Amino acid sequence: MKVLITGAKGFVGKNLIAQLKNISEGKAKGYASLAGLVILPYDIDTDPALLADYCKKADFVFHLAGVNRPKAEEEFMEGNFGFTSTLLDALEQAGNRCPVMISSSIQAALDNPYGISKKAGEELLFDYSKRTGAPVLVYRFPNVFGKWCRPNYNSAVATFCYNIANGLSIQVNDPKVVMNLVYIDDVVNELVNALIGTPNRDGKYCKVPVEHQVELGKIAELLYSFKESRENLFVPNLADPFVKKLYSTFLSYIPTDAFSYPLTMHTDQRGSFTEFLKSPERGQVSVNISKPGITKGEHWHHTKNEKFLVVSGKGVIRFRKIIDEGEILEYFVSGDKLEVVDIPVGYTHNIENLGNTDMVTIMWANESFDPTNPDTYFEKVKI
């Protein structure tokens, strides 16, 4: 299969091509019928002479090219209607009745220059289908967000992500404005479905089945919290599908010289203890480093429970139930055999480094540390 993609270097085009390459090379599962597909990319800087050739070869057309931020209003019609006409003429002259998908906008229902030009492009495609019998798919996209979207252009989400990630201010005129959003991965998944003949139709139009309605003020609030999470270590609630998608989008706008960020290491002669991640719902993860011969812990908890995973070095974790002054349990641990040791409540416990090198332990606790209620009580394991 040969797929012509206009607007190949645009936001949607770049994401679609990246996934189609995965599919073509067999890296994406479930699309065996599309293995080996050939992409015919076309953009504003492509040799115009290639368009006729591509229109002869194409088995499917994704028409993503368009104008949404021109210097003059008349460029809306030139870009959104004029090039669509050129494309359809080339297909018709080639006698190619392959399916054609067009990227339109929900603004096609509005009476503004952009919407009028998008509506004109839609009608051109519908008329083409009636005249030639070629299948057409018209997608009226709401605001699309995700990686590789150009900031300070026509996407508030992209602009907010870029500015906040780079320490720049943003302007929210009305935080109560509700934005209709679709995520780029959901868009691409739907376009692949269209390619294999299973588009999501809504009457005469097609649509991305997963949409999000979110207030602009909420988006800004979330983005600021994502930036703060690199300092307070609290990860967002990724059980919320929109939060998960927005967080991934935000990370793609972090400056290339700021991918890393420091953690606070609490060090002493015994080694160090460093908090890594926190969550109100899922507790926290920390990294503990113990020097050779050092024993840490010697405390117990009422409700706080932990999991220890030694990833380097060797040692022993000891337990004693605080109401039982006799039996001491021992679990020998090593980075050579990764295994998790649960630290139940009501047991005083410690961990001793038995090796000649630093012992590194990943520790998870079911709650983030609260200095006002640490639920940690000193008591030696060995009486």
Side-chain angles (χ1 to χ4, degrees):
M1 175 178 281
K2 296 179 176 63
V3 180
L4 168 57
I5 303 176
T6 72
K9 295 182 180 179
F11 167 39
V12 177
K14 286 186 288 189
N15 279 274
L16 176 60
I17 287 175
Q19 185 61 1
L20 289 181
K21 285 182 177 179
N22 287 336
I23 292 171
S24 175
E25 296 168 5
K27 298 175 183 177
K29 297 181 179 179
Y31 298 102
S33 63
L34 297 178
L37 68 81
V38 177
I39 299 168
L40 307 174
Y42 191 91
D43 211 276
I44 193 169
D45 58 354
T46 304
D47 183 354
L50 288 175
L51 185 62
D53 182 54
Y54 286 174
C55 285
K56 290 178 184 177
K57 297 177 178 178
D59 299 302
F60 193 101
V61 177
F62 287 109
H63 181 31
L64 306 177
V67 175
N68 50 35
R69 186 64 73 87
K71 295 179 180 178
E73 282 190 5
E74 57 267 20
E75 293 180 35
F76 279 126
M77 288 301 290
E78 292 173 8
N80 297 327
F81 176 84
F83 181 67
T84 300
S85 179
T86 300
L87 172 67
L88 297 180
D89 285 346
L91 288 167
E92 195 165 1
Q93 289 173 13
N96 189 345
R97 298 182 180 181
C98 72
V100 181
M101 169 272 169
I102 189 171
S103 171
S104 188
S105 166
I106 55 174
Q107 292 201 42
L110 304 179
D111 186 22
N112 60 49
Y114 176 65
I116 291 171
S117 68
K118 281 295 189 182
K119 177 69 173 177
E122 293 178 359
E123 293 304 320
L124 200 62
L125 198 64
F126 286 131
D127 290 343
Y128 168 80
S129 179
K130 291 177 182 178
R131 186 172 65 254
T132 66
V136 298
L137 304 94
V138 178
Y139 282 86
R140 283 188 168 181
F141 292 134
N143 295 283
V144 185
F145 73 103
K147 65 182 182 302
W148 306 336
C149 186
R150 179 177 169 186
N152 299 302
Y153 185 57
N154 70 323
S155 168
V157 173
T159 300
F160 283 8
C161 284
Y162 176 84
N163 284 16
I164 292 174
N166 286 272
L168 304 174
S169 63
I170 63 171
Q171 182 175 343
V172 181
N173 294 325
D174 184 356
K176 292 298 183 181
V177 168
V178 175
M179 296 192 69
N180 294 306
L181 299 162
V182 288
Y183 182 54
I184 189 61
D185 286 7
D186 294 326
V187 172
V188 169
N189 288 340
E190 172 59 23
L191 294 184
V192 174
N193 286 338
L195 181 61
I196 62 177
T198 58
N200 186 68
R201 290 193 176 273
D202 184 13
K204 66 187 293 189
Y205 298 100
C206 299
K207 64 179 295 183
V208 179
V210 183
E211 291 190 19
H212 304 277
Q213 288 76 40
V214 189
E215 290 184 351
L216 192 59
K218 180 62 176 179
I219 294 172
E221 176 186 322
L222 284 169
L223 292 174
Y224 277 118
S225 74
F226 297 162
K227 184 176 184 180
E228 292 167 1
S229 71
R230 290 159 64 89
E231 297 178 4
N232 62 28
L233 307 183
F234 277 93
V235 295
N237 178 16
L238 301 179
D240 183 314
F242 175 73
V243 174
K244 179 180 178 181
K245 296 167 184 177
L246 187 66
Y247 183 59
S248 295
T249 301
F250 171 78
L251 291 180
S252 72
Y253 288 89
I254 293 175
T256 55
D257 61 353
F259 287 175
S260 67
Y261 56 97
L263 298 176
T264 300
M265 295 181 66
H266 302 278
T267 60
D268 58 25
Q269 71 279 4
R270 302 174 303 159
S272 66
F273 180 81
T274 306
E275 295 176 326
F276 173 33
L277 293 175
K278 297 182 180 181
S279 165
E281 305 87 9
R282 299 290 187 269
Q284 76 174 48
V285 178
S286 306
V287 180
N288 184 74
I289 299 177
S290 301
K291 297 292 184 182
I294 290 297
T295 299
K296 288 187 175 183
E298 307 285 29
H299 59 239
W300 63 278
H301 316 285
H302 278 300
T303 303
K304 179 188 293 185
N305 56 84
E306 299 165 297
K307 293 178 183 291
F308 287 4
L309 172 63
V310 171
V311 296
S312 180
K314 62 180 181 179
V316 60
I317 302 172
R318 300 186 181 91
F319 300 88
R320 178 177 58 81
K321 188 180 293 186
I322 63 165
I323 59 173
D324 183 353
E325 297 185 354
E327 184 180 15
I328 294 177
L329 307 173
E330 291 185 328
Y331 283 79
F332 290 88
V333 289
S334 168
D336 295 330
K337 180 185 177 183
L338 298 185
E339 57 183 335
V340 176
V341 179
D342 273 316
I343 312 297
V345 297
Y347 281 83
T348 186
H349 53 276
N350 64 31
I351 180 169
E352 181 182 356
N353 184 348
L354 299 179
N356 298 317
T357 61
D358 287 354
M359 180 175 64
V360 181
T361 307
I362 305 299
M363 296 180 170
W364 172 84
N366 68 327
E367 59 184 42
S368 296
F369 179 69
D370 179 1
T372 65
N373 182 28
D375 187 15
T376 300
Y377 305 92
F378 175 79
E379 184 166 338
K380 284 186 172 292
V381 173
K382 294 182 179 179
I383 302 174

